[in-house]
Every structure is written in structure tokens, then in C-alpha cells.
Amino acid sequence: MAAGVRTVDALPGPFSYPLAGVALVIIDMQRDFLEPGGFGAALGNTVGLLAPSIPVIGRLLAAFRAHGLTIVHTREGHRPDLSDCPPAKLGRGRPSMRIGDHGALGRILIQGEPGHAIIPSLTPLPGEVVIDKPGKGAFYATPLSTELTRRSITHLVITGVTTEVCVQTTMREANDRGYECLLIEDATDSYFPSFKQAALEMVRAQGGIVGWTATSNALLKSLPP
Ligand code: TIU
């Protein structure tokens, strides 16, 4: 095996990645999804269901930082004038508050508002990539492809919320662009635990039709000491 290639005990089989070509992708760990008073709560969800993944992502973030590896954070949100929010997204469902309305964390899902920020324990450091995205996928209408190509990244370790919405959409977008993707099972959460489980199973089915899944401990064990 080439120097610098690491292997994770994963499903549906081992996941190998080059240390120089891997990035940790942390999807939308924002106050708007994880705290009361934000977008997730406005949609009627129990935001506490997303809490278990927080410390797990914290451990992965610390390990990637310690090894000087590429780290990408994403944030879902819109411009204050909502010019990047399609009417279909704005009008969907019957939420208690809509995107752009004033809530306990500022305007719902609007860039620069308190709710748009990444939660304090996972705050990006200078030099880490931060991608603002108007959609559920992190590639649509963002510079993510350019940023990954510039760093010669070929393999993505994917974490964040919610598993079957922004995480799965991003993983499918990445898979179609040729990235090898590993979803970390305990570093992602959903407001619907059964949807999380289904998403994990569907990405690794059919020989890894979308990618691989593994535990955070398996990924951490694969890193150099
Ligand atoms: N509603 C829901 O489950 N998720 C989102 O709206 N965005 C993300 O997943 N980040």
C-alpha cells in the first residue's frame, strides 16, 4: 500500500484514504438546527435529538486539527434580502416561523444572525474552510468543488446534521463528483432516528452505492498515532 494510505474498518468493507487527500466535512452544526428558537425548532422538531453527535464531532475535529488535515465547515442560510432563497423553499410546509422571520436567535436561517453561527464548541479556526450554502447540498451554488480541488482532496469524511437531509444530499452530490465518501455513524444525527438509520443503510447498500459508513472510533484508530 502506498505511503500515507490509511484504512478504516467500515461498511460495506474497508475504506482506504490517502492522508494528504482527505478532508473532514462538518455539515451545518449551527445554532439554527441545534438550539431552541431556530429553524429546526420552527419546523416542529425536537432539537435535543441532534445533541449526541456534538462531542463526537468535537473529537474528530480535534484529531484532524492535531494532524494538520483539511477541515470544511458548512452553514445553511440565506442573504438578508432572501434573493438566494427559492420561493419553493420559503413557502414549504406550515412552520411556526418562516426563513427570514425574527425569532429568538435572530432572523431564521439568515447569514450573520446569531442562529446562523456554528455552535461554540465547534467554531471554525482561521484557515479552515467555511462554505455558506443556500441549499441542502454543500456543492450546489457554492465554491466547495473549487476549494477541494485546490487542496487536492479526493476523500471526504462526512459528519453533521441532519443525516437524511443536508448530510445525505451532500454525500450524494460528492459521490456523483467522484469523491470517495465515508459517513461517520455516531457523528451525524436526525430529528427522526429511524430516518438516520435508513440513511446509513441506504448509502452503504449495494456494495456502497453512495459510500461507506464507520464509527468515529474506527476512523480515529486509522489516523497515525
Ligand atoms: N430540516 C432538516 O432536517 N434539515 C435541514 O433543513 N437542513 C439540514 O439538514 N442542514
Side-chain angles (χ1 to χ4, degrees):
M1 196 165 280
V5 173
R6 319 296 301 186
T7 298
V8 186
D9 184 9
L11 290 172
F15 176 84
S16 293
Y17 64 94
L19 209 48
V22 72
L24 175 66
V25 180
I26 305 176
I27 306 284
D28 299 0
M29 292 299 285
Q30 296 162 260
R31 298 183 66 195
D32 253 326
F33 295 105
L34 290 142
E35 295 185 14
F39 183 60
L43 294 173
N45 297 305
T46 303
V47 293
L49 287 166
L50 305 188
S53 58
I54 298 172
V56 180
I57 296 173
R59 284 194 287 280
L60 295 174
L61 186 55
F64 271 65
R65 282 173 176 164
H67 287 91
L69 302 176
T70 297
I71 295 162
V72 177
H73 306 258
T74 73
R75 299 183 296 204
E76 181 178 350
H78 297 280
R79 299 189 193 118
D81 66 2
L82 296 177
S83 59
D84 59 354
C85 185
K89 182 175 181 180
L90 198 55
R92 191 73 55 83
R94 298 174 60 85
S96 59
M97 286 182 295
R98 293 197 183 274
I99 296 168
D101 287 352
H102 291 268
L105 301 176
R107 291 183 68 201
I108 300 280
L109 220 58
I110 297 296
Q111 292 167 4
E113 298 288 334
H116 185 257
I118 291 170
I119 58 170
S121 66
L122 302 177
T123 296
L125 290 179
E128 295 174 358
V129 181
V130 179
I131 297 290
D132 282 316
K133 61 188 190 56
K136 303 306 181 191
F139 287 86
Y140 168 68
T142 76
L144 180 54
S145 277
T146 306
E147 296 293 343
L148 294 176
T149 301
R150 178 181 297 160
R151 292 166 176 79
S152 301
I153 297 298
T154 53
H155 290 61
L156 304 179
V157 172
I158 299 182
T159 67
V161 296
T162 62
T163 317
E164 80 284 5
V165 183
C166 291
V167 171
Q168 186 173 204
T169 303
T170 297
M171 192 164 175
R172 289 176 182 277
E173 286 184 326
N175 186 51
D176 281 352
R177 285 165 175 77
Y179 293 97
E180 305 280 22
C181 299
L182 175 67
L183 175 56
I184 304 300
E185 297 158 16
D186 49 338
T188 182
D189 276 311
S190 170
Y191 300 121
F192 302 86
S194 63
F195 290 176
K196 168 182 169 173
Q197 192 55 34
L200 293 176
E201 288 172 18
M202 69 179 79
V203 304
R204 66 191 178 212
Q206 305 181 67
I209 194 76
V210 181
W212 287 256
T213 76
T215 64
S216 59
N217 279 339
L219 187 275
L220 289 169
K221 235 191 276 177
S222 77
L223 291 170

